[in-house]
């Protein structure tokens, strides 16, 4: 027969070690705030286990109320850490119902119906654990195998708590006067230790994955404009064949060197950021934007006819031409030239399409700048709008 006290002490020891590990990880990576939240939740659960162990030795109504409140609070904090990690907004959806359940539990326990208090608490914990599993499965963006394990462990732990409540209801134990001790409670102690240890290990794995994703995003992002850089372009489209309805538009800001020479590099940076903002405004599904370096930008468009691609690129040029950057020398307007390259029926490489777009871009420069053309429209290099004063 399993020794119930030993199971509780094992759970407390396991939780303490797990929490210490989480705190140590958070100290080395303060940005991973969800790890700190998980550690705080586990500490609260450890406090619950210790008080509950004490309650099994010396039953006391007040001790019972505190232990049950800590159980609900601990899993609430862990649920909030999951929401924090997954970016699920509005924490009140979890906080308000849990606090209400804790109040109901305290009221019944105070009136002597501690069995009902245990049932309410077990129900609350079951819902919180089920919510954690569902959130990871629905909102998670990592390897589905890892998310399946998280959901499975949360669900298994939820079932073990649900069984504890079901056993109490089946026996009609509305008033206990002591800690419940039955097969479901013993099973729950084993399952909770195993599942919480597993979830702790998976939390470390998820933290590692998140760190990798953030590092990869940083290496593929231009720090000035926030657009993806050339590395990001190669990562997303380097191995992708470009069909006839895919296009690349290369943009080059007109006379940008003169802008830096006359107005200074801080103003030049503002101009670059303005153009990046214009591209974002017109970006949508199937349109990816990149800063290739210096004053060169590119957008990759999918499911685009030649006419639609030219129209979208021209709108970007027109919109940028209306942007005004205030400077110490007066308001500054800049223009941009663009060239469009298209994929082929047999599937062109990114380098081939970029070369075509680059040739069209230089044709636009030679034709007088402030326009967007493609190799197929070499004889129709019309300005994208009436000429504007450029730097």
């Amino acid at each position: 027969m399993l020794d119930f006290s030993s199971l509780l002490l094992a759970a407390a020891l396991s939780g303490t070690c797990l929490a210490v590990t989480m705190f140590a990880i958070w100290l080395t990576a303060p940005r991973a705030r969800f790890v700190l939240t998980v550690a705080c939740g586990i500490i609260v659960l450890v406090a619950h286990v210790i008080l509950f162990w004490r309650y099994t030795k010396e039953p006391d109504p007040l001790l019972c109320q505190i232990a049950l409140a800590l159980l609900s609070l601990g899993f609430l904090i862990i649920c909030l850490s999951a929401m924090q990690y997954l970016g699920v907004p509005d924490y009140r959806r979890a906080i308000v119902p849990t606090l209400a359940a804790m109040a109901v539990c305290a009221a019944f326990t105070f009136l002597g119906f501690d069995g009902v208090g245990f049932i309410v608490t077990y129900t609350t914990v079951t819902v919180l654990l089920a919510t954690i599993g569902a959130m990871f499965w629905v909102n998670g963006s990592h390897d589905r195998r890892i998310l399946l394990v998280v959901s499975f462990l949360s669900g298994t732990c939820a079932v073990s708590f649900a069984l504890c409540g079901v056993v109490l209801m089946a026996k009609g134990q509305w008033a206990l006067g002591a800690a419940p001790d039955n097969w479901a409670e013993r099973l729950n102690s084993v399952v909770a230790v195993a599942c919480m240890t597993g979830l702790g290990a998976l939390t470390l794995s998820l933290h590692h994955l998140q760190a990798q994703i953030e590092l990869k995003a940083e290496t593929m992002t231009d720090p000035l404009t926030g657009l993806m850089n050339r590395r990001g372009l190669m990562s997303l489209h380097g191995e992708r064949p470009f069909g006839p309805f895919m296009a690349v538009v290369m943009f080059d800001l007109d006379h940008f060197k003169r802008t830096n020479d006359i107005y200074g590099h801080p103003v030049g940076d503002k101009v670059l950021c303005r153009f990046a903002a214009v591209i974002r405004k017109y970006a949508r599904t199937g349109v990816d934007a990149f800063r290739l370096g210096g004053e060169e930008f590119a957008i990759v468009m999918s499911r685009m006819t030649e006419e639609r691609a030219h129209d979208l690129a021209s709108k970007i040029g027109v919109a940028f031409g209306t942007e005004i950057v205030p400077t110490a020398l007066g308001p500054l307007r800049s223009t941009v030239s663009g060239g469009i390259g298209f994929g082929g029926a047999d599937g062109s490489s990114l380098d081939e399409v970029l070369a075509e777009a680059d040739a069209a871009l230089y044709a636009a420069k030679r034709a007088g700048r402030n326009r967007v053309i493609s190799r197929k429209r070499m004889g129709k290099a019309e300005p994208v709008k009436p000429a504007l004063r450029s730097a």
Side-chain angles (χ1 to χ4, degrees):
M1 181 180 293
L2 290 172
D3 179 37
F4 193 35
S5 296
S6 298
L7 290 174
L8 292 176
L9 292 176
L13 180 60
S14 173
T16 301
C17 294
L18 190 57
V20 170
T21 303
M22 296 290 182
F23 277 122
I25 291 175
W26 174 75
L27 289 174
T28 60
R31 291 175 58 184
R33 291 178 294 176
F34 83 97
V35 175
L36 175 62
T37 309
V38 172
C40 292
I42 293 174
I43 286 295
V44 173
L45 290 177
V46 168
H48 154 75
V49 171
I50 293 173
L51 289 180
F52 188 70
W53 172 79
R54 183 65 181 174
Y55 180 66
T56 61
K57 302 297 182 181
E58 298 178 9
D60 178 82
L62 180 59
L63 196 60
C64 178
Q65 291 184 25
I66 297 174
L68 292 178
L70 289 176
L71 181 61
S72 296
L73 181 61
F75 280 104
L76 170 62
I77 295 173
I78 291 178
C79 182
L80 294 178
S81 73
M83 298 175 73
Q84 189 178 25
Y85 177 79
L86 296 171
V88 178
D90 194 5
Y91 293 168
R92 291 175 298 178
R93 289 184 295 177
I95 294 174
V96 174
T98 303
L99 293 180
M102 290 168 63
V104 171
C105 172
F108 275 105
T109 304
F110 177 77
L111 295 174
F113 295 98
D114 53 342
V116 177
F118 274 98
I119 293 171
V120 172
T121 299
Y122 290 151
T123 302
T124 303
V125 172
T126 299
V127 172
L128 288 171
L129 284 167
T131 300
I132 292 171
M135 284 193 301
F136 268 98
W137 185 248
V138 173
N139 299 304
S141 57
H142 298 313
D143 191 326
R144 302 305 293 184
R145 291 170 295 182
I146 294 179
L147 300 177
L148 177 61
V149 175
V150 173
S151 299
F152 173 77
L153 290 176
S154 298
T156 301
C157 198
V159 170
S160 71
F161 277 102
L163 287 174
C164 293
V166 169
V167 169
L168 291 178
M169 286 190 291
K171 293 183 177 181
Q173 295 179 318
W174 315 118
L176 296 169
D181 186 5
N182 52 58
W183 66 267
E185 293 286 344
R186 295 170 184 272
L187 176 64
N188 173 257
S189 298
V190 175
V191 171
V193 171
C195 289
M196 293 308 297
T197 302
L199 287 172
L202 286 172
T203 299
L204 302 182
S205 298
L206 291 172
H207 165 63
H208 180 65
L209 282 174
Q210 187 181 51
Q212 286 185 319
I213 291 171
E214 290 176 353
L215 179 61
K216 184 178 180 180
E218 289 177 359
T219 61
M220 295 197 302
T221 302
D222 172 52
L224 177 64
T225 63
L227 298 178
M228 286 182 284
N229 56 21
R230 187 179 292 272
R231 186 193 297 265
L233 173 63
M234 298 305 297
S235 176
L236 290 179
H237 301 285
E239 303 298 327
R240 183 179 183 182
F242 282 69
F245 294 102
M246 291 190 65
V248 175
V249 185
M250 290 189 64
F251 291 103
D252 188 275
L253 304 191
D254 297 329
H255 303 296
F256 187 71
K257 184 178 183 300
R258 189 190 305 173
T259 298
N260 282 332
D261 292 342
I262 296 176
Y263 297 94
H265 288 279
V267 171
D269 289 346
K270 290 182 180 179
V271 173
L272 293 172
C273 291
R274 287 291 182 91
F275 184 68
V278 170
I279 288 183
R280 284 196 193 90
K281 180 180 177 181
Y282 286 90
R284 58 178 184 269
T285 302
V287 178
D288 299 320
F290 308 86
R291 183 190 177 196
L292 302 183
E295 68 271 28
E296 292 186 342
F297 294 79
I299 58 174
V300 177
M301 298 184 286
S302 303
R303 299 184 296 278
M304 284 282 183
T305 62
E306 178 185 351
E307 183 177 351
R308 288 179 60 198
H310 189 275
D311 181 60
L312 178 60
S314 297
K315 286 180 179 179
I316 291 174
V318 171
F320 179 62
T322 64
E323 291 287 323
I324 299 176
V325 177
T327 74
L329 300 178
L332 169 66
R333 279 185 175 180
S334 301
T335 59
V336 64
S337 299
I340 310 176
F342 293 90
D346 297 330
S348 303
S349 68
L350 174 61
D351 288 339
E352 291 172 336
V353 181
L354 281 174
E356 181 179 329
D358 191 53
L361 172 62
Y362 278 98
K365 292 283 189 181
R366 290 194 299 269
R369 295 183 172 85
N370 190 28
R371 64 200 70 218
V372 176
I373 65 173
S374 68
R375 291 292 296 273
K376 299 178 182 179
R377 294 192 175 204
M378 286 298 193
K380 303 178 182 180
E382 301 176 354
V384 298
K385 66 175 296 177
L388 292 170
R389 178 171 62 86
S390 64

